[in-house]
Amino acid sequence: RLRHTGRGILSMANSGANTNGSQFFITFKSCNHLDNKHSVFGSVVGGIETLKFIEDVDTDSTDRPKIELKILETVVFVNPYETDLAAHYQDIEDKKKAKVEEEKKQKKREEEDKEGHSGWYTNPAAAAVSKTATYKESGVGRYIAPTAYAGTEK
């Protein structure tokens, strides 16, 4: 949303309901009190010296300039709504990608759970011990079968 922050903001005030009238203005400073009341169209990006000249023109008791001021030419460099809209669409696209990635991760977790694997909370040592055979008979070691060393007595 465009706001009345800083010098050189181009905005429009509506004259009222059913009047079909409007007044365009350029701010000389931040006018936060105008946000959500008047439409912001853009800002001055060049010609700040012209803005300074307009600001320095003497005004009468009704705050109207004592000399006639006309803006003869303006140039639109960027449509602020298009850039804002592009950012909005990019945000939507990013959220879609994040959702797809999360769905992939969730599917992978579900598949691992079905296979007996689980995430970070598994105990691989316990799984290895359960697959290892232990021999209670007298042998060289706990995991070595006594028949493997038959005939190799000292």
Side-chain angles (χ1 to χ4, degrees):
R1 191 156 188 83
L2 300 175
R3 304 201 164 282
H4 295 87
T5 54
R7 288 175 51 88
I9 300 297
L10 174 63
S11 189
M12 180 192 77
N14 190 327
S15 296
N18 301 321
T19 61
N20 200 21
S22 56
Q23 177 182 8
F24 292 86
F25 60 93
I26 299 172
T27 62
F28 296 138
K29 63 179 183 175
S30 292
C31 300
N32 297 329
H33 63 284
L34 299 178
D35 292 343
N36 301 319
K37 293 180 183 173
H38 302 302
S39 301
V40 175
F41 286 95
S43 64
V44 175
V45 293
I48 294 295
E49 62 280 348
T50 304
L51 183 63
K52 178 69 176 144
F53 173 81
I54 294 170
E55 187 176 18
D56 290 339
V57 169
D58 288 334
T59 57
D60 61 18
S61 60
T62 62
D63 206 25
R64 292 184 174 268
K66 289 184 177 179
I67 62 172
E68 183 179 28
L69 297 172
K70 288 185 180 181
I71 297 175
L72 301 177
E73 181 182 17
T74 61
V75 178
V76 177
F77 290 109
V78 177
N79 182 343
Y81 292 105
E82 285 179 2
T83 56
D84 201 30
L85 193 59
H88 173 70
Y89 286 136
Q90 183 63 44
D91 187 40
I92 290 172
E93 190 65 30
D94 291 345
K95 287 179 182 178
K96 284 180 183 177
K97 288 178 182 178
K99 183 178 179 182
V100 168
E101 287 297 317
E102 183 57 36
E103 288 172 353
K104 285 181 183 178
K105 288 178 184 178
Q106 182 63 29
K107 187 175 180 180
K108 183 179 178 183
R109 281 187 222 118
E110 290 171 0
E111 289 174 2
E112 287 177 350
D113 286 344
K114 286 179 185 176
E115 294 174 5
H117 302 99
S118 42
W120 57 272
Y121 50 83
T122 60
N123 185 351
V129 168
S130 68
K131 294 178 183 175
T132 307
T134 57
Y135 298 95
K136 302 290 181 186
E137 303 171 13
S138 62
V140 178
R142 183 174 176 193
Y143 301 107
I144 301 173
T147 55
Y149 284 95
T152 57
E153 298 179 21
K154 288 188 180 180

